[in-house]
Amino acid sequence: MVMAKNKSDNKDNKIRFETRDLNVFYGDKQALFDVNLQILENNVTSLIGPSGCGKSTFLKCLNRMNDMVSICRIDGQIILDGHNIYDKNVDVVLLREKVGMVFQKPNPFPKSIYENVAYGPKIHGIASNKDDFDEIVENSLKKAGLWKEVKDRLNDSAIGLSGGQQQRLCIARTIAINPEVVLMDEPCSALDPIATAIIEDLIDELKENFTIVIVTHSMQQAARISDRTAFFHMGKIVETGKTGDIFTNPKLKQTQDYITGRFG
């Protein structure tokens, strides 16, 4: 049995995202079936389940990354702060400014550490002079727990950082445009245990200012870092709730079987 930390009661957190009867198709193949899920503000919500169960597909729907897949079709609604993000009038650029994403493998730009963090504020017009950029870069690197390690080499190439440092840089780059929601698609899968622990501590700190949704293949990680957990299987949500309940007192046998390793 995976043991979960005791998390605080989340009943007072408002709903930031809500999906209503969400169905996703890739050509003739259906990937998600009638997914209904509420994501609470300033919580870490983990998406768990076997490989190919729809976790990453669901995550990419939340900032319309699936728009880039020509054969992808979406039915249903995804409500962010009262508005359907798939409404034809939604500006996708502004949506992705509000809902940032950190990918599975660190993907720093082949630029300096400074330029990596300043890139988003520059293209979104958030800053216009060097003092503003300097402040954003420093604050973002501090929030990502990387400032002390790189403050004396901001002009060095980001490619020279270790894997864990690169992933924290990518987190700094994501939060530099001050999103409200941060999506993370298995952000620790390419990292060693020490780097993973640093990222997990960082996630716990970031939820004070951000709503975080994380796909993880590790049930132990979900139990350690998340407030709420959604268990996906074959494109459907089997069970969702507080992480402590999901891992120690699941309502459904299918959840119990997955948590205890009987399948998956």
Side-chain angles (χ1 to χ4, degrees):
M1 174 69 72
V2 177
M3 298 303 293
K5 289 182 180 179
N6 291 322
K7 296 287 183 176
S8 58
D9 195 335
N10 306 310
K11 65 182 180 180
D12 295 329
N13 292 75
K14 79 172 188 178
I15 298 169
R16 175 42 60 93
F17 261 117
E18 182 175 11
T19 67
R20 300 174 182 171
D21 298 326
L22 178 67
N23 295 280
V24 178
F25 303 83
Y26 293 110
D28 295 330
K29 180 181 179 183
Q30 188 165 357
L32 292 178
F33 299 81
D34 296 320
V35 173
N36 292 281
L37 181 64
Q38 294 179 341
I39 294 167
L40 303 185
E41 184 177 55
N42 298 118
N43 270 210
V44 178
T45 300
S46 287
L47 312 180
I48 64 170
S51 296
C53 68
K55 305 184 299 291
S56 292
T57 291
F58 176 82
L59 192 76
K60 292 173 184 175
C61 289
L62 299 181
N63 70 345
R64 293 182 52 171
M65 288 292 290
N66 284 327
D67 285 11
M68 301 176 184
V69 182
S70 61
I71 62 171
C72 184
R73 176 171 62 86
I74 292 177
D75 292 335
Q77 294 184 316
I78 300 180
I79 308 300
L80 173 62
D81 298 334
H83 301 283
N84 182 10
I85 67 171
Y86 280 89
D87 187 279
K88 63 181 180 181
N89 296 319
V90 169
D91 185 326
V92 178
V93 173
L94 293 179
L95 171 66
R96 291 178 187 150
E97 184 177 337
K98 195 171 187 176
V99 185
M101 191 159 191
V102 177
F103 294 93
Q104 183 172 0
K105 293 182 179 180
N107 59 341
F109 301 143
K111 299 174 179 288
S112 71
I113 295 168
Y114 184 100
E115 290 172 311
N116 264 267
V117 183
Y119 179 81
K122 183 176 182 179
I123 64 171
H124 286 284
I126 295 172
S128 57
N129 61 68
K130 190 174 186 306
D131 287 343
D132 289 344
F133 280 117
D134 287 350
E135 182 177 0
I136 290 172
V137 169
E138 180 174 344
N139 287 340
S140 300
L141 288 170
K142 283 181 176 177
K143 288 178 182 176
L146 192 58
W147 174 251
K148 290 182 180 179
E149 296 168 47
V150 303
K151 63 181 181 179
D152 296 322
R153 49 183 178 130
L154 294 176
N155 293 321
D156 291 358
S157 172
I159 306 300
L161 296 173
S162 69
Q165 289 174 324
Q166 287 186 8
Q167 192 65 299
R168 280 184 283 154
L169 178 64
C170 292
I171 292 172
R173 189 176 67 196
T174 298
I175 63 179
I177 59 173
N178 199 29
E180 298 175 16
V181 181
V182 177
L183 311 177
M184 297 184 171
D185 193 359
E186 299 199 27
C188 301
S189 65
L191 305 181
D192 61 50
I194 294 174
T196 294
I198 293 172
I199 296 292
E200 289 182 0
D201 287 342
L202 173 59
I203 289 171
D204 194 53
E205 293 174 13
L206 289 176
K207 76 174 183 180
E208 295 297 320
N209 297 302
F210 306 97
T211 299
I212 297 173
V213 187
I214 179 171
V215 167
T216 176
H217 67 283
S218 167
M219 287 186 287
Q220 289 84 1
Q221 182 174 73
R224 286 193 297 265
I225 68 172
S226 61
D227 300 284
R228 300 183 66 80
T229 296
F231 168 41
F232 281 73
H233 184 59
M234 297 183 70
K236 299 178 181 179
I237 287 187
V238 176
E239 188 171 346
T240 182
K242 293 180 182 178
T243 295
D245 294 338
I246 293 292
F247 282 97
T248 61
N249 190 29
K251 296 177 181 177
L252 301 176
K253 184 178 184 299
Q254 189 175 6
T255 309
Q256 175 79 13
D257 288 347
Y258 181 71
I259 295 299
T260 56
R262 291 193 178 96
F263 80 93

